[in-house]
Amino acid sequence: MYLIKFNMKKILFAFASLFITFCISAQGNKNLAELLGYPRESKLLIIHCDDLGLAHSVNMAGIKAFNDKSITSGSIMVPCPWAPEIMAYVKDNPGMDVGIHLTLTAEWKLYKWGGINSSDQIPSLLDKNNYFYPSVEELGKAAKAMEAEKELRAQIDRAYASGVKPTHIDTHMGSVLANPELIKIYLSLSEIYHLPILFPRAYLSWFPADIAKSLESKIFLIDNLFMLEPNMIAGNWIDAYKKGIEELKPGLNQMIVHLAVDNDEMQAISKGHDDYGSAWRQHDLDLVSSAEFKNLLKSNNIILIGWQQVRDLMNAPDVK
Amino acid sequence: MYLIKFNMKKILFAFASLFITFCISAQGNKNLAELLGYPRESKLLIIHCDDLGLAHSVNMAGIKAFNDKSITSGSIMVPCPWAPEIMAYVKDNPGMDVGIHLTLTAEWKLYKWGGINSSDQIPSLLDKNNYFYPSVEELGKAAKAMEAEKELRAQIDRAYASGVKPTHIDTHMGSVLANPELIKIYLSLSEIYHLPILFPRAYLSWFPADIAKSLESKIFLIDNLFMLEPNMIAGNWIDAYKKGIEELKPGLNQMIVHLAVDNDEMQAISKGHDDYGSAWRQHDLDLVSSAEFKNLLKSNNIILIGWQQVRDLMNAPDVK
C-alpha cells in the first residue's frame, strides 16, 4: 500500500513537472514580468523590510507593515535577541514572505550578538567577547571562509528548524560581500537551498567573465535597488522616496526600508547612530504606511511582488 | 626609587592593616550592625533590584531607582542582551552598589539567552538551540558541575573585564541552588572572589553540620529575606510590602524587588507570565519610589545599607 501510494505520488509529480515544463518552454524567452503574467516592460517592485528580529520594536513595525500590506517582503536576523519572536510569528502565520538576513556583524555599541554556532567553531568571526565585529571592514579582514560558511548555513538551518520557510536570502550591511570568498559562499547558498538571493545585476561586473556569465541568466537578479541613504534626505522623507519611485526601471526592483517603532528600546539600541536609528525607522514606517506613498506607487504603475513568487519561478523546471 | 616606593606602600599597608585589625578585635563579638556603627538590635535592610541587564526596560527602571535612592543595591544578569548597557553605565558611574546575578536559566518563551562560554564548553547547561533551560528543575537535572563552575566564573570575569567591581554575588531564580554540587560552587565563588553571597541563614539547615558550622559565622548571612510572591497580593501592592517591612527582624534583611518600565518591550518579554511580568515590575518600581514606602521604612526604624558595606567589612582583617 505504501509503495502504491508512493508510486502514485511520483507519477502525479512527473505529470505536473512535464506540464509546467511545457508551459514555461512554450513561453520562450519571457522575462520575469511575463512569467508572472505581466507585460514585458512592467516595473516590478519588492518593498522589503530589513532587520526583522533585531529588536521587539522592529518586529512590531514589521508585523504592522505586513498586515497593512505596506511591504511585500522582509528578512530575519537569526542570531539577534528578538529572532525567536519573529520566527514564532512567521511559523504561526504561514505564507508570510520572509527570508534570511544573513548576519555577520553587530554594529550597535551596547546591544550585541554573536553567532548561532558555538563560539569555538567560528573564532575568526568574533571579537574578544564573542560578539560579531561591528563593521564589514573588520569582518572582511578577519573572516575565514570555512567558519563563515558554517555560520551562514547555521542561520538558515535555525530558521527552517524554527518553522520558517524562507523565501530568499539577503545580507545585513552587505556583510557577505565583505571579501571575494564570502561572495562565493553567498552565491553557493542560493544553489544549496534553492533560494533566490538579493543580487543586483550591477554587481556582475565585479566577477570574472565565466562566473558573471553563469549568473546573468538568473531570474532573481535585481535590476535596480533603492535604499534611502543619509545624503538623499534634503527635504521631506516622502520627497526622497518619490524620487526613488520615479527612477524605478522596467524589470525587478527592490526598495529596502528600515522599520521600527521609535520607542525607548529602539532609541537605546541606536543611541549615537542617527542614520538608520530609531527616529529614521519610524519615519520609514510612517512612509510605507502612508496613502501618499501608496498613491505614488499606483501613479507610477508599479507592480508589487514578493520574493516568494521569484523563488517559486526559480524552482519551476526549466527556469533558472 | 621604585623599590623605595614599593616598600613605603607595603609599610603603610601593614600599618593600616594592623590598625583595622586592632579596631575590629577591640570590638569583640560585635555583630554586623555594631561593626557598621549602629545599635546591636538594628534592623538593617538591603533593598535589592534583581535582573539588571535582562532588558532595556529593566535597566531604565533600575537606574531611575538607584538615582532616586529608592534601592540600595542590584545585580546584573551578565549573559542577557542588555548587560552591556548596564555594565557600561556602572563603569561610568563608580560606586554603584551592583553585584552579579548568576544566571543559568532563560525562563521567557520567546526572548532567550545562552552562556558566556562557547556553547561547546557547557553543553550540559544548554538546550538544543544553545539557550539555557527555562526552569531550575531542568538545569538541576542536566548540569555538570565543572561546566556550571566554568560558566559562573566566566560571568563574574566578564563583569570585571567590563569595568564592574561587583559588591556581591547572588543568583537568578535560585539557579545555583538547583543541586548540591551547584550550591558548593556558589559557596566557593565567595571565597575565590572575596565577595559576599546572598545566603539566608535559614538555608544552613540544608547542610551537613561541619559545612553549616563553617558558614554560620559569615558576616554576610541574611537573617530575613523578603520577596513579594503572588499569594501575598490580596489587597493593594503597598499592603503586602507594609506587612513585609513590619516583619523585618533585627540583623541583616534583604528585600528583593523586580523593577521595570511597563512598556512594549517588557510586555513582549513577559507575555504569558503575569507573575513578575511587565505590570508587576512597574508596580514594584512605583512602590519603591513612593513616599508611602519610604515613610514605612522610616516609621519602622529600618536602616538602609548596601552590599558594598558588607563586602568591605568581610574583607577587613579578622572579620569573616
Side-chain angles (χ1 to χ4, degrees):
Chain A
M1 189 60 188
Y2 172 78
L3 270 175
I4 296 169
K5 263 192 186 164
F6 177 72
N7 285 335
M8 278 304 289
K9 263 192 189 165
K10 274 184 79 171
I11 291 161
L12 281 170
F13 181 76
F15 269 109
S17 298
L18 268 173
F19 179 71
I20 294 169
T21 307
F22 167 77
C23 294
I24 291 175
S25 301
Q27 294 175 77
N29 272 334
K30 291 189 169 179
N31 72 1
L32 177 65
E34 290 167 303
L35 290 171
L36 291 173
Y38 301 111
R40 189 170 183 86
E41 293 300 300
S42 298
K43 295 175 187 173
L44 307 177
L45 176 63
I46 298 167
I47 307 179
H48 190 273
C49 169
D50 273 21
D51 302 351
L52 293 167
L54 164 64
H56 177 62
S57 156
V58 172
N59 291 349
M60 285 167 74
I63 290 169
K64 178 187 179 299
F66 266 115
N67 290 340
D68 293 352
K69 301 195 191 309
S70 303
I71 54 174
T72 64
S73 186
S75 56
I76 301 173
M77 298 176 75
V78 178
C80 287
W82 285 91
E85 180 188 59
I86 192 70
M87 294 197 293
Y89 188 89
V90 173
K91 183 187 177 191
D92 293 343
N93 292 274
M96 281 179 73
D97 194 312
V98 169
I100 310 298
H101 203 46
L102 293 171
T103 300
L104 296 176
T105 47
E107 70 273 34
W108 313 106
K109 201 174 160 203
L110 294 175
Y111 181 72
K112 312 295 285 179
W113 52 83
I116 291 291
N117 281 278
S118 178
S119 319
D120 280 358
Q121 306 288 318
I122 50 168
S124 72
L125 309 180
L126 306 175
D127 70 9
K128 69 177 169 54
N129 284 335
N130 290 333
Y131 296 131
F132 285 134
Y133 291 108
S135 74
V136 177
E137 289 67 31
E138 286 161 288
L139 168 73
K141 279 181 205 161
K144 289 187 180 162
M146 273 182 61
E147 294 175 17
E149 182 173 2
K150 189 171 194 155
E151 174 58 23
L152 296 173
R153 293 181 71 148
Q155 293 181 10
I156 303 171
D157 294 343
R158 169 68 63 86
Y160 275 108
S162 303
V164 174
K165 288 175 184 148
T167 55
H168 65 293
I169 304 174
D170 59 16
T171 166
H172 184 57
M173 296 169 67
S175 46
V176 298
L177 311 176
N179 70 39
E181 285 184 302
L182 292 186
I183 297 177
K184 277 186 211 161
I185 295 166
Y186 183 45
L187 299 177
S188 75
L189 293 174
S190 171
E191 302 290 330
I192 294 165
Y193 290 95
H194 304 289
L195 290 173
I197 52 175
L198 174 67
F199 201 90
R201 197 178 295 279
Y203 295 0
L204 288 179
S205 61
W206 303 358
F207 290 88
D210 56 333
I211 298 180
K213 193 150 185 65
S214 75
L215 279 170
E216 72 185 10
S217 63
K218 294 288 183 195
I219 200 165
F220 55 68
L221 291 178
I222 295 280
D223 295 294
N224 184 44
L225 184 67
F226 175 81
M227 186 174 94
L228 188 66
E229 287 177 15
N231 61 9
M232 298 176 184
I233 315 165
N236 290 329
W237 217 255
I238 187 76
D239 293 338
Y241 275 94
K242 185 169 185 265
K243 194 162 180 293
I245 291 171
E246 287 169 352
E247 287 174 0
L248 296 182
K249 295 182 178 57
L252 182 56
N253 299 272
Q254 174 157 314
M255 176 178 283
I256 293 174
V257 292
H258 295 90
L259 310 184
V261 175
D262 182 17
N263 62 13
D264 288 330
E265 179 198 19
M266 199 63 219
Q267 286 165 20
I269 290 172
S270 61
K271 200 174 169 187
H273 294 246
D274 286 343
D275 297 341
Y276 308 105
S278 188
W280 176 300
R281 289 169 189 249
Q282 178 75 55
H283 284 315
D284 259 10
L285 175 60
D286 295 342
L287 184 282
V288 296
S289 311
S290 71
E292 205 171 353
F293 177 72
K294 288 172 183 171
N295 287 338
L296 274 172
L297 296 173
K298 204 175 282 179
S299 61
N300 282 276
N301 301 312
I302 307 302
I303 295 169
L304 297 181
I305 67 163
W307 275 108
Q308 202 158 14
Q309 288 150 282
V310 182
R311 179 194 64 187
D312 294 347
L313 263 184
M314 166 182 158
N315 292 312
D318 275 9
V319 177
K320 280 177 186 171
Chain B
M1 189 64 188
Y2 174 77
L3 270 175
I4 295 168
K5 263 192 186 167
F6 177 74
N7 284 335
M8 275 307 288
K9 264 192 188 166
K10 273 183 81 172
I11 291 162
L12 281 170
F13 181 75
F15 269 110
S17 299
L18 267 172
F19 178 71
I20 295 169
T21 308
F22 167 76
C23 293
I24 291 174
S25 301
Q27 292 174 78
N29 273 334
K30 290 190 171 181
N31 71 2
L32 177 65
E34 290 168 304
L35 290 171
L36 291 173
Y38 300 111
R40 187 169 185 86
E41 292 301 300
S42 298
K43 296 175 186 173
L44 307 177
L45 176 64
I46 297 167
I47 306 179
H48 190 273
C49 170
D50 274 20
D51 302 352
L52 293 166
L54 164 64
H56 177 62
S57 154
V58 171
N59 290 351
M60 285 167 73
I63 290 168
K64 177 187 180 301
F66 267 114
N67 290 340
D68 293 352
K69 302 194 190 308
S70 301
I71 54 175
T72 63
S73 185
S75 58
I76 301 173
M77 298 175 74
V78 177
C80 286
W82 285 91
E85 181 189 58
I86 192 70
M87 292 195 296
Y89 188 90
V90 173
K91 183 186 176 191
D92 292 344
N93 292 273
M96 280 180 74
D97 194 312
V98 169
I100 310 299
H101 204 45
L102 293 170
T103 300
L104 296 175
T105 48
E107 69 274 33
W108 313 105
K109 203 175 159 203
L110 295 174
Y111 181 72
K112 313 294 287 181
W113 52 83
I116 290 292
N117 281 279
S118 178
S119 318
D120 281 358
Q121 306 288 319
I122 51 167
S124 73
L125 308 181
L126 305 175
D127 70 9
K128 68 178 168 55
N129 285 334
N130 289 335
Y131 296 132
F132 285 133
Y133 291 108
S135 73
V136 176
E137 289 67 31
E138 287 161 287
L139 168 74
K141 279 180 202 162
K144 288 185 182 163
M146 271 181 64
E147 294 175 16
E149 182 173 2
K150 189 172 194 152
E151 174 59 23
L152 296 174
R153 291 181 72 149
Q155 293 181 10
I156 302 171
D157 293 344
R158 169 68 63 89
Y160 275 109
S162 302
V164 174
K165 289 177 183 147
T167 53
H168 65 293
I169 305 173
D170 59 15
T171 165
H172 184 56
M173 296 169 67
S175 46
V176 299
L177 310 175
N179 69 38
E181 284 184 303
L182 292 186
I183 297 177
K184 276 186 211 160
I185 295 165
Y186 183 45
L187 299 178
S188 75
L189 293 175
S190 170
E191 303 289 332
I192 294 165
Y193 290 93
H194 303 288
L195 290 173
I197 52 175
L198 174 66
F199 202 89
R201 196 178 295 280
Y203 294 0
L204 288 179
S205 61
W206 303 358
F207 290 87
D210 56 332
I211 298 180
K213 196 152 182 63
S214 75
L215 280 170
E216 71 185 9
S217 62
K218 295 288 182 194
I219 201 167
F220 56 68
L221 290 178
I222 295 280
D223 295 294
N224 183 46
L225 184 67
F226 175 82
M227 185 174 95
L228 189 66
E229 288 177 14
N231 61 8
M232 297 175 183
I233 315 164
N236 290 327
W237 215 255
I238 188 76
D239 292 339
Y241 275 94
K242 183 168 187 264
K243 195 164 178 292
I245 291 170
E246 287 169 352
E247 286 174 1
L248 295 181
K249 294 181 178 59
L252 181 56
N253 300 270
Q254 175 157 313
M255 174 177 284
I256 293 174
V257 293
H258 295 90
L259 310 184
V261 175
D262 181 18
N263 62 12
D264 288 329
E265 180 198 20
M266 199 62 218
Q267 286 165 20
I269 290 172
S270 62
K271 200 175 170 185
H273 293 246
D274 286 345
D275 297 341
Y276 308 107
S278 188
W280 176 300
R281 288 169 191 248
Q282 178 76 54
H283 283 315
D284 259 10
L285 175 60
D286 295 342
L287 183 281
V288 295
S289 311
S290 70
E292 205 172 353
F293 176 73
K294 287 173 183 173
N295 287 338
L296 273 173
L297 295 172
K298 203 174 284 181
S299 61
N300 282 274
N301 301 312
I302 306 301
I303 295 169
L304 297 182
I305 66 163
W307 275 108
Q308 203 158 14
Q309 289 150 282
V310 181
R311 178 194 66 186
D312 294 346
L313 262 185
M314 169 183 155
N315 290 312
D318 274 8
V319 178
K320 283 178 185 170

